[in-house]
Amino acid sequence: MLNCCLANRNLFHPAFAVPTQRVRWPNSILENEKKSILTLGQQAKPKVADIFAQFGNPPHTLVHNDYMLDNLFFDAADSPFSFAVADWQLFSRGFGMRDVGSFLGGNVSIEDRRIHEMDLLRLYHGVLAENGVSGYSFAQCVEAYRFSMYDGLLRMVIAIGSGSLREEQERAHREAIWPRYCAALLDLN
C-alpha cells in the first residue's frame, strides 16, 4: 500500500486516486501534521495546472531529473575530479529548480534545510544572474522552488505507488524523503 503524506493523490491526476481511509501514514508524521498536510493538499488542488505550468517557465538549464544523493559521488582524496554525478538517462533542458528542489527537499535533513534553504537559494539565484540570466527576481526563484516541492512529492507518489522500489528504498522514501518533502511544503505555504 502506498505510504502517502498527502493522502489524496487525485490532487495531481485521477489515475492516482486512493481513498483517504486506505492510506498508511509514515510513523514519522504526527497527527497534527496530518491535518496540516491534508489542508495543504486541498489548497493545492485548484492550483495544479499552475504548478505544472511553472515547469515550462524560464530560466531553463540542464536538468538531471534525479538529483538525489544516491547519484552523487564524492572523492575524499585531493583530486581534480572530487565530485561526480551519475545516472544521466533522464537529463533534459528544462526547469532547473526541479533539481534544486529535489536535492534540498529530498536529501537534506528538515533542520538543515530550514537553516540553510534561503541562503542556498540566494546563492543559486546569484549564480544564474552571474551567468547571464536576467529578468528573474529572487521572489520568482523562491516561488519556483516552492512549486518544485510539489513535483518532488508527486515523484515520490509515483515511485512508491509503482511498486518498483526495493524494500530498503521504499523504507527510505517513507521514513526520510516523505517527511522532508511534507515539511518543506508546509514550511513554504
Side-chain angles (χ1 to χ4, degrees):
M1 170 49 78
L2 174 64
N3 291 290
C4 172
C5 63
L6 281 183
N8 189 353
R9 290 185 297 169
N10 66 1
L11 158 71
F12 297 105
H13 189 279
F16 299 121
V18 165
T20 303
Q21 67 272 15
R22 289 184 29 211
V23 173
R24 288 184 301 146
W25 293 78
N27 292 334
S28 58
I29 303 294
L30 303 173
E31 285 301 317
N32 62 336
E33 291 174 318
K34 291 178 189 178
K35 184 181 250 185
S36 297
I37 292 164
L38 288 169
T39 299
L40 176 63
Q42 290 304 311
Q43 291 170 351
K45 199 170 191 175
K47 300 184 232 176
V48 171
D50 292 337
I51 291 167
F52 289 101
Q54 178 76 26
F55 299 138
N57 293 341
H60 292 139
T61 63
L62 178 66
V63 183
H64 183 273
N65 279 309
D66 193 14
Y67 204 72
M68 300 296 281
L69 280 176
D70 57 348
N71 290 324
L72 307 177
F73 297 89
F74 304 88
D75 183 2
D78 202 16
S79 80
F81 303 105
S82 59
F83 174 73
V85 181
D87 194 11
W88 285 92
Q89 75 259 19
L90 299 175
F91 86 95
S92 64
R93 179 179 183 269
F95 187 65
M97 193 55 75
R98 182 175 258 173
D99 282 350
V100 175
S102 68
F103 183 79
L104 293 178
N107 292 291
V108 178
S109 73
I110 294 168
E111 297 78 21
D112 286 341
R113 180 194 46 79
R114 287 174 174 159
I115 292 167
H116 302 290
E117 180 175 60
M118 287 301 139
D119 290 335
L120 291 169
L121 289 177
R122 280 185 196 87
L123 177 64
Y124 177 80
H125 183 260
V127 169
L128 289 175
E130 288 170 12
N131 287 281
V133 173
S134 61
Y136 186 61
S137 70
F138 182 67
Q140 288 172 300
C141 182
V142 171
E143 186 71 357
Y145 174 71
R146 189 170 67 86
F147 283 134
S148 74
M149 291 303 161
Y150 287 102
D151 179 61
L153 198 59
L154 175 60
R155 289 170 182 238
M156 296 301 102
V157 167
I158 294 168
I160 294 173
S162 71
S164 63
L165 297 175
R166 294 185 312 273
E167 186 176 331
E168 67 274 7
Q169 288 175 308
E170 184 178 333
R171 187 173 45 258
H173 280 70
R174 280 191 342 265
E175 295 174 4
I177 299 171
W178 276 107
R180 290 174 184 163
Y181 275 118
C182 291
L185 279 165
L186 291 171
D187 291 346
L188 292 164
N189 285 287

